[in-house]
Amino acid sequence: MQNEQLQQVVKALQEANNILVTVKSSPSVDELSAAVGLTLALNKANKHATTVFSGDIPSTIEFLQPEQVIETNTDSLRDFII
């Protein structure tokens, strides 16, 4: 069953042009880092990916340059349909 779900996720990502990555409120550093990493990987794959997060970005992930992929408000996200 897990393999089928993975295939569905991969297919959805392949077919999508605009991908919105979100995190829960008060994410851990690992969760926020994963969101930034996923967004960067999707953008490298020629997708338009953006992460939305409204909290303070921890200084421990500054090396990932999260400000390049994280939107702090939804004003510029009209390309995304949820």
Side-chain angles (χ1 to χ4, degrees):
M1 187 69 160
Q2 285 181 336
N3 193 31
E4 183 179 320
Q5 291 170 335
L6 178 61
Q7 289 174 347
Q8 289 175 344
V9 170
V10 169
K11 183 179 178 188
L13 290 174
Q14 288 172 336
E15 293 174 355
N17 292 318
N18 299 314
I19 302 167
L20 182 62
V21 179
T22 62
V23 293
K24 67 179 185 178
S25 61
S26 301
S28 70
V29 171
D30 289 341
E31 291 165 334
L32 195 53
S33 297
V36 170
L38 177 60
T39 303
L40 291 170
L42 290 168
N43 284 331
K44 275 249 188 218
N46 295 319
K47 302 293 181 177
H48 175 237
T50 303
T51 297
V52 175
F53 173 65
S54 62
D56 294 325
I57 297 172
S59 62
T60 55
I61 67 167
E62 286 178 359
F63 71 97
L64 294 175
Q65 299 175 329
E67 67 280 354
Q68 293 182 4
V69 297
I70 293 178
E71 293 286 336
T72 56
N73 64 55
T74 58
D75 294 343
S76 65
L77 303 177
R78 292 187 183 98
D79 292 339
F80 298 98
I81 299 171
I82 299 174

